[in-house]
Amino acid sequence: MLESVGSLTGSPWIYAAVAVSVLLDVFLPVLPSGVLVIAAATAAAGSATGAVPHAVPDILVLTLCAATASVFGDMAAYRLAWRGGDRLDRAIARSRRLTRAQERLGDVLARGGGARGVLVVVARFAPAGRSVVSLGAGAAHRRVREFLPWSVLAGLAWAGYSVALGYFGGQWLGATWLATGVSFGALFAAGAGAAYLVRRPAGRQPATGG
């Protein structure tokens, strides 16, 4: 049961915990921000069904909190990479993933809104994809107006999906760790699919006329 985390999910501190976790996992992708969001949403479902007696977060506020923290984290990484510096340049050079992402982002983010938006939104679901895209966009010196709107959309999509998984999973399976586990499994599956799409070579995409 979610009673073991009731002291957190039953207080306003859950919003701070979610915000800090989501904000920082752009730099530390190992932080379990998705698990925390899902657990809080599952507890909200448990309250609605009477399975969890204490007060829990409002799912709308929880969604907005997670989405806002996601955007702020993206912009912090973007600004850090924009300013650059020898240490950051060396860190990117040592990472094949970041190097490839920086090269690809230079092309994709410079295209029309569709290609740019799909990459930013899809990468938000992939493991470490948010970090790669945010740092890559900053290092490639993409303009804020080319990145920020898609970061907002990506944050809302990820937060809404995570909260929906936890809430509806909790309603269908009850406010148990099983519901949290199944919901997190669905989030992981979405991440695996997103990772495949992000890593797929651009050459496989169909060419467009014009």
Side-chain angles (χ1 to χ4, degrees):
M1 299 294 290
L2 292 178
E3 298 296 337
S4 58
V5 293
S7 59
L8 179 61
T9 60
S11 76
W13 285 107
I14 184 61
Y15 299 120
V18 166
V20 170
S21 178
V22 175
L23 178 67
L24 294 181
D25 77 0
V26 69
F27 302 105
L28 300 170
V30 296
L31 288 178
S33 59
V35 176
L36 186 58
V37 172
I38 286 175
T42 303
S47 177
T49 60
V52 177
H54 53 70
V56 290
D58 179 87
I59 59 171
L60 178 59
V61 177
L62 180 64
T63 302
L64 293 177
C65 178
T68 301
S70 178
V71 174
F72 274 99
D74 288 354
M75 294 308 299
Y78 168 86
R79 286 298 185 186
L80 177 65
W82 178 286
R83 295 175 182 174
D86 294 338
R87 181 176 298 180
L88 180 62
D89 291 340
R90 287 195 299 268
I92 293 177
R94 285 195 299 266
S95 171
R96 288 185 298 176
R97 175 184 292 181
L98 287 177
T99 300
R100 289 196 302 266
Q102 184 175 353
E103 293 173 351
R104 185 183 178 197
L105 283 166
D107 294 331
V108 176
L109 293 177
R111 298 178 194 169
R116 183 189 312 137
V118 168
L119 177 66
V120 175
V121 174
V122 170
R124 182 61 183 87
F125 290 80
R130 174 191 180 200
S131 304
V132 170
V133 167
S134 299
L135 291 172
H141 284 195
R142 294 296 100 193
R143 290 175 292 182
V144 172
R145 67 184 184 185
E146 294 177 335
F147 177 69
L148 179 57
W150 299 112
S151 173
V152 172
L153 180 59
L156 286 171
W158 176 84
Y161 180 71
S162 300
V163 170
L165 284 178
Y167 187 78
F168 291 112
Q171 285 196 327
W172 294 333
L173 300 176
T176 65
W177 285 113
L178 173 62
T180 303
V182 170
S183 298
F184 181 69
L187 183 64
F188 178 83
Y196 169 77
L197 292 175
V198 170
R199 293 171 184 168
R200 185 175 60 181
R204 294 183 185 178
Q205 299 174 356
T208 57

